[in-house]
Structure formats: structure tokens, C-alpha cells
Amino acid sequence: MTATGHAHFEELVAGYVLGALSAEDRAELTAHLEVCDDCRADLVSLAPLPALLSRLDVDDVGSPVPTTDIDGLVAVALALGVGAIVSDDEAGRGPFG
Amino acid sequence: MEVAARHFHAAHAPALHAWVRSRSVDAKEAEEIVQDTLILAWRKRDQYGRSRGSERAWLFGIARNVAVDRHRRQHLRVVPAADVPDVAADDELERAVETSYVRDALLGLSDLHRQVVVETYYEGRTVREVAQRLEIPEGTVKSRLHHALRALRRELERNEVLP
């Protein structure tokens, strides 16, 4: 298959939905989409992603997440014992409850 | 028991932490809210049923209540309004849960795949610019983007963010 075969276009769809293609690639893909159901289906499938990605900002995805104290939770889980169930009343009662 | 608690923690703590932090809560308080939430959720896990939606949605609901309770208890303190996390409405909570899955999906990509998404989408570079910067063929950037977005799509389907 040459560089203008289906696989070539299929790989352009992701760059297209992210708005990262050159004008030439974009024009090529647009023409191909007219005649290719598979690529159109791909486009529909990936199209919702930019809106979802826009909910995060670059700092959010670049930096590692601080970890919470897992050992604290495990200690509590162990202290409660295997299968220990705390009733709603017991768990919810405050100092004046 | 310990394994289950660790699994529960690993699956949700980072997402929970990111969400609480995003609501203008300082680092120390966020840490406390996350711990309180996970402990409370662990103790009440028998009350959680699949019919109530995703485990994470349930957990975010608990976190919201924990945060509200803390601020009720502290209501006599003078706190700048911007520092008080407001009560998230249910649809806002649902959106927060979705966003947390988007974040997990992105962070779950391989470094090479995440890199091209960050460079193009978040940093606004074209495929060509990224290829030059990373000194790799343009075709490689396109191919990585292709695999990255498919992986994101699969992961978001699995967590029912996308149909």
C-alpha cells in the first residue's frame, strides 16, 4: 500500500480532531472522508474527545498527583476487622448524638 | 481486607484528591477530606450498590458531604468566601466524576502516547512541529496520536463517560 492508502488516512483522523494537522493533510483527509465510511465512523467516535480533554488543563496532566496516606486507611481497615460493618447510627453519631 | 483497602485507595484516591483540590481547598485540608472520605466510604461500603451508579460517583458524593460538614462545624471562623467549597449540585458532581475519569484515562496512557496529546492539544503544536521538536518522523506522531485517542476512547467507554 502506498502512503495514500486507507491506513494513511485512518491515522490522520486523530490529528484532525485535535486540530493538529497541516493544511495539506487536512485537505487530503477531508476529501477522503467523502468516500470512506470507516474513516467517517472513526471521526464520529473520536470527535467527543477534545471537549472532554478541555476539562483538564496542562498543569493537571503534566504534574504527578500527590499521594494520600494509604497506610492510615489500611490501619483503620485492619482496626475495624475483617468484615466489620459499622451501622449508620454508630458511624453518624456525633459528640452530641 | 488489606489488599481490598489498598486497591480501593489506589483506584480512587488520586482522582478524589485532584477534585477536592480543584475546589479551592488548601493542600492540608484536602488531604484530611480525602482521608475522611476514604475511611467513611470503607466503613460504609456495604451500603454501596451497583444500582447507585459508579463507585466513584458514590465516593465523590461522600466527599462532598465531608467537605460540607467540615465547613458547617467551622462556620464561626472567619473564612474568605473564596476558600469555602460550595455545595456541588448533583449534575456538577456527575461532571466532576466524568472529568476525573478523563484525567485518569490521560494519565493512564503510556508516556509516549500522552506526550503527543499534551504537545498537540494542550500546547497547541501541529503534528509537524511536534515531529521536529522530538526529532521523529511526522508519521510516528500521527500514529501515536491515533493509538492514544483510541486508548482514551476505550477507557472512557469502559467507565461509561462515553457511550
Side-chain angles (χ1 to χ4, degrees):
Chain A
M1 209 81 198
T2 65
T4 50
H6 178 75
H8 165 73
F9 292 110
E10 188 183 25
E11 293 206 333
L12 291 180
V13 176
Y16 183 78
V17 302
L18 295 180
L21 294 187
S22 66
E24 307 88 81
D25 278 348
R26 202 164 52 237
E28 266 188 37
L29 179 65
T30 310
H32 177 73
L33 285 169
E34 296 282 327
V35 298
C36 181
D37 291 345
D38 288 346
C39 282
R40 271 204 307 279
D42 266 357
L43 179 62
V44 169
S45 145
L46 299 182
L49 291 174
L52 289 170
L53 291 172
S54 76
R55 297 190 190 180
L56 308 175
D57 60 40
V58 69
D59 296 337
D60 203 21
V61 297
S63 58
V65 186
T67 52
T68 52
D69 173 21
I70 171 76
D71 292 329
L73 177 66
V74 170
V76 170
L78 291 174
L80 288 171
V82 174
I85 301 300
V86 179
S87 77
D88 223 355
D89 283 349
E90 206 184 326
R93 192 173 296 147
F96 305 106
Chain B
M1 178 81 169
E2 182 172 337
V3 170
R6 280 187 187 279
H7 176 77
F8 184 68
H9 187 283
H12 301 298
L16 202 52
H17 197 279
W19 180 57
V20 174
R21 283 290 275 153
S22 77
R23 302 188 66 77
S24 313
V25 175
D26 72 40
K28 182 171 171 294
E29 181 166 25
E31 187 73 19
E32 289 168 7
I33 289 172
V34 170
Q35 283 304 307
D36 288 356
T37 299
L38 289 170
I39 288 165
L40 197 60
W42 184 255
R43 292 168 72 174
K44 291 180 172 238
R45 68 195 181 284
D46 61 305
Q47 294 172 12
Y48 164 72
R50 276 278 145 200
S51 59
R52 296 171 57 180
S54 79
E55 188 171 71
R56 182 167 294 178
W58 174 71
L59 206 52
F60 274 41
I62 293 174
R64 173 178 63 179
N65 293 338
V66 166
V68 169
D69 282 350
R70 288 174 70 92
H71 282 273
R72 273 199 197 122
R73 284 203 305 274
Q74 297 168 0
H75 77 286
L76 288 179
R77 286 197 207 166
V78 180
V79 186
D83 291 347
V84 182
D86 50 319
V87 181
D90 283 346
D91 55 346
E92 199 184 331
L93 200 64
E94 184 54 40
R95 189 181 159 89
V97 170
E98 283 177 3
T99 304
S100 76
Y101 281 128
V102 175
R103 187 169 171 283
D104 283 1
L106 193 58
L107 294 175
L109 294 178
S110 71
D111 289 347
L112 290 178
H113 286 167
R114 191 174 52 258
Q115 178 185 43
V116 291
V117 174
V118 170
E119 296 247 345
T120 53
Y121 183 76
Y122 291 98
E123 294 176 352
R125 295 191 182 91
T126 62
V127 164
R128 186 162 298 157
E129 288 165 344
V130 174
Q132 282 165 1
R133 242 169 80 82
L134 303 182
E135 300 181 337
I136 53 178
E138 280 185 43
T140 305
V141 177
K142 288 170 185 169
S143 168
R144 284 181 190 168
L145 280 176
H146 169 76
H147 290 293
L149 292 203
R150 292 202 161 211
L152 286 177
R153 166 86 218 183
R154 264 198 311 278
E155 193 59 17
L156 293 172
E157 264 174 46
R158 196 174 69 78
N159 289 314
E160 298 178 359
V161 176
L162 289 174

